[in-house]
Amino acid sequence: MELAYYSDYAVRLVNTEEPVRGKDALTSVEAVRDLFGTSRSAARRATEADVTRFRSIRARLRAVFEAADTGDETLAVDLLNSLLLEFPVSPQISGHDFRDDDGRPLWHMHLADHPSNATAGYAAIAAMGLAFHLTEYGVDRLGLCEAAPCRNAYLDTSTNRSRRYCSDRCATRANVAAYRARKRLETARPDLPETGLAADSTQPSSAQGERRPGLSGR
């Protein structure tokens, strides 16, 4: 298992909140436990006190994405390093749950946390996973959805660094909004020549999106 896999922990936590819409799904210990996914033993450590602690870590992780989104690489790295120092992990070789055809372990790297509580364990893995993703793919691969008012976090794994939205749904919504805005402009200014852009905007779009020429990363 690639250690960058653990970066999904950070995305899952950050996206429990939609600040612009005033929505927060992290309101109970059950919501905290759901974030651990299949790691049920770690989830069982969660208590009501972890709800507040998880929200605090969420704000710090979102700040990393926000810094990366604005192109402030140094700030993004500094914020992430502060989390790594506060919540350390121990990389270990593991073969649990994975066997080849001959029944031998499929050895892989695993992040072993040594938490005092569920929040510390989750924060350690999320921060380390995000750090591996950042150093392997680049700071500009950490993004926030451009489909306002979404602003969900995402990790860009596209081959051409073109992702702009967190999902196909947001990509489609943004394209429809842009198309309608162009139609309103054409209606208000009927003397403008037809550009052909309206026709192009009706084509389906994926969550990968496409960046405008001249923009680096975003």
Side-chain angles (χ1 to χ4, degrees):
M1 181 183 298
E2 296 181 2
L3 293 180
Y5 157 83
Y6 291 104
S7 57
D8 287 337
Y9 277 62
V11 174
R12 287 204 300 269
L13 177 54
V14 170
N15 290 347
T16 59
E17 182 184 29
E18 297 182 68
V20 178
R21 292 190 173 108
K23 294 182 178 180
D24 189 347
L26 197 57
T27 58
S28 66
V29 66
E30 288 76 18
V32 168
R33 289 171 178 162
D34 286 343
L35 288 168
F36 286 91
T38 58
S39 183
R40 304 316 301 169
S41 59
R44 283 194 291 271
R45 292 198 299 259
T47 66
E48 291 291 343
D50 284 299
V51 176
T52 300
R53 289 194 288 253
F54 260 67
R55 287 177 175 173
S56 175
I57 298 301
R58 179 180 64 189
R60 294 172 68 181
L61 287 171
R62 175 171 282 277
V64 175
F65 279 92
E66 288 175 342
D69 187 63
T70 59
D72 195 336
E73 296 189 12
T74 301
L75 178 59
V77 170
D78 287 345
L79 291 171
L80 193 49
N81 273 336
S82 69
L83 285 165
L84 293 170
L85 287 172
E86 187 174 346
F87 303 103
V89 295
S90 300
Q92 294 180 352
I93 300 173
S94 175
H96 65 83
D97 300 331
F98 298 97
R99 299 280 172 172
D100 62 18
D101 293 339
D102 296 325
R104 296 174 301 184
L106 295 177
W107 301 113
H108 60 279
M109 291 301 297
H110 174 75
L111 294 182
D113 59 280
H114 309 284
S116 56
N117 53 62
T119 303
Y122 194 99
I125 292 174
M128 183 61 77
L130 200 57
F132 274 106
H133 190 95
L134 184 152
T135 54
E136 182 172 354
Y137 300 108
V139 177
D140 58 345
R141 293 300 189 114
L142 279 59
L144 291 174
C145 186
E146 291 187 12
C150 176
R151 304 301 284 167
N152 271 352
Y154 65 81
L155 300 172
D156 185 359
T157 56
S158 64
T159 57
N160 58 352
R161 299 173 182 264
S162 63
R163 186 167 179 175
R164 297 168 57 196
Y165 308 107
C166 68
S167 65
D168 287 332
R169 179 180 180 181
C170 277
T172 299
R173 182 161 53 85
N175 283 336
V176 169
Y179 169 74
R180 289 175 176 171
R182 283 194 292 269
K183 295 301 290 184
R184 286 195 296 269
L185 179 61
E186 292 170 4
T187 301
R189 298 286 304 278
D191 56 313
L192 290 177
E194 183 65 44
T195 63
L197 292 177
D200 292 340
S201 67
T202 60
Q203 298 300 316
S205 174
S206 67
Q208 296 286 331
E210 293 210 1
R211 300 181 190 275
R212 294 181 295 276
L215 290 182
S216 174
R218 294 288 304 159

